[in-house]
Amino acid sequence: MRTDTRDRLDALMGRLRPPQTPPSARLRAGPDRSNVRILVLIGVLAAVVAAGYLWLARPRPQPSAGPLPSATLAEVRPAASASPASGPPVVVHVLGKVRRPGVITLPSGSRVAEAIKAAGGVRPGAKTGALNLARKLVDGEQIPVGVRGLAPIAAAPPPAPGGSAAPAAPLDLNTATAEQLDDLPGVGPVLAQRIVDHRTQHGGFRSVEQLQDVSGIGARRFADLKPMVRV
C-alpha cells in the first residue's frame, strides 16, 4: 500500500518538474551565441570604419582667391618699375640764421628747402628772404639764410672740353666756397677757411678792402687778390 502511494507521488512530481535539457543540447547552444556576438562586434567595427572613411572623403569648400596683399604685389612687380639709382650726393654750406650752420651732405636732387631743414631750420623770427626754396642744390654751393648782402652761388662749372678756358670773373667774397677761394693765387686751404670763418663771424664783407682784416693777408697779397675778387 505504501509502495503504491510513493510511486504515485513520484510520478506526479515528475510531471510537475520542467523538462531537463540534455547536456549535448547545452553544449551546442553555447558556441552559437558566441558566434552571434562576434558577428555583431564585427558589424559595429565595420560601420565605424565606413563612417570615418566617408567623413574624410567628404568634399570641402575651397577658399576663394581674394586680392593679394600689398606686400605680395610689391614682390611681383617687374624690376623695371624700380626707381632709378640716384646720382652722387651733393655737399653744400648752409650759413646764416639757421640753428646748425655748417657743411651738409644731401642726396642728389635735393632742394634748398631740404638743405635748410637739414641745418636745423630757420631760427625763430628769421626769414629766408629771396631764397628760392624750390631750387635744386648744386654740389659745392653756399646757401646764406637771412644774411643781407649775400646771395647763394653755385660752384663754378668746369671748362668746356677741348676749348680754351674763358677768363674767370671776379670771385664774390660773400658767396664763394672755401674750395673756390683756395684756387686764388697765394691762397691755400688754411687761408681760404679763414676767409670763410671771418665772413661768417662778421656777417659778410662790405668791401673788398675788408679782406685785409683776415689774418694772413698782407698788403702785397691783397694787391694780388684785389682784381680777382668782389663783393
Side-chain angles (χ1 to χ4, degrees), residues 166-190:
L171 196 61
D172 193 330
L173 292 174
N174 289 325
T175 58
T177 63
E179 290 78 8
Q180 291 174 321
L181 294 171
D182 187 14
D183 293 336
L184 295 174
V187 179
V190 177

Side-chain angles (χ1 to χ4, degrees), residues 146-150 172-175 195 198-214 222 229-231:
V147 180
R148 294 183 180 180
L150 295 182
D172 193 330
L173 292 174
N174 289 325
T175 58
I195 296 174
H198 184 276
R199 178 180 65 195
T200 303
Q201 295 173 2
H202 297 81
F205 293 95
R206 294 176 178 81
S207 65
V208 176
E209 284 70 19
Q210 289 183 343
L211 188 60
Q212 301 177 82
D213 298 336
V214 179
F222 174 73
V229 296
R230 65 181 179 86
V231 292

Side-chain angles (χ1 to χ4, degrees), residues 18-218:
Q20 298 292 329
T21 303
S24 59
R26 288 198 299 269
L27 293 176
R28 288 196 301 269
D32 291 341
R33 292 180 180 179
S34 300
N35 292 338
V36 170
R37 292 177 181 176
I38 293 174
L39 291 176
V40 171
L41 181 59
I42 293 175
V44 172
L45 292 177
V48 172
V49 172
Y53 176 78
L54 293 176
W55 173 261
L56 294 177
R58 75 187 189 282
R60 300 179 181 179
Q62 297 295 332
S64 59
L68 293 175
S70 57
T72 306
L73 291 175
E75 294 175 358
V76 300
R77 287 176 182 172
S81 63
S83 58
S86 58
V90 292
V91 181
V92 296
H93 180 202
V94 182
L95 72 155
K97 297 180 180 180
V98 291
R99 297 180 184 273
R100 296 188 299 272
V103 178
I104 297 173
T105 302
L106 293 170
S108 177
S110 299
R111 310 281 178 167
V112 173
E114 295 173 326
I116 296 175
K117 182 179 180 180
V122 181
R123 294 179 184 175
K127 297 181 180 180
T128 57
L131 280 177
N132 182 5
L133 302 179
R135 179 178 58 82
K136 286 187 177 181
L137 299 174
V138 179
D139 184 60
E141 75 168 301
Q142 190 177 61
I143 304 173
V145 180
V147 180
R148 294 183 180 180
L150 295 182
I153 184 173
S164 58
L171 196 61
D172 193 330
L173 292 174
N174 289 325
T175 58
T177 63
E179 290 78 8
Q180 291 174 321
L181 294 171
D182 187 14
D183 293 336
L184 295 174
V187 179
V190 177
L191 185 54
Q193 189 60 45
R194 289 179 185 173
I195 296 174
V196 173
D197 293 341
H198 184 276
R199 178 180 65 195
T200 303
Q201 295 173 2
H202 297 81
F205 293 95
R206 294 176 178 81
S207 65
V208 176
E209 284 70 19
Q210 289 183 343
L211 188 60
Q212 301 177 82
D213 298 336
V214 179
S215 175
I217 298 181

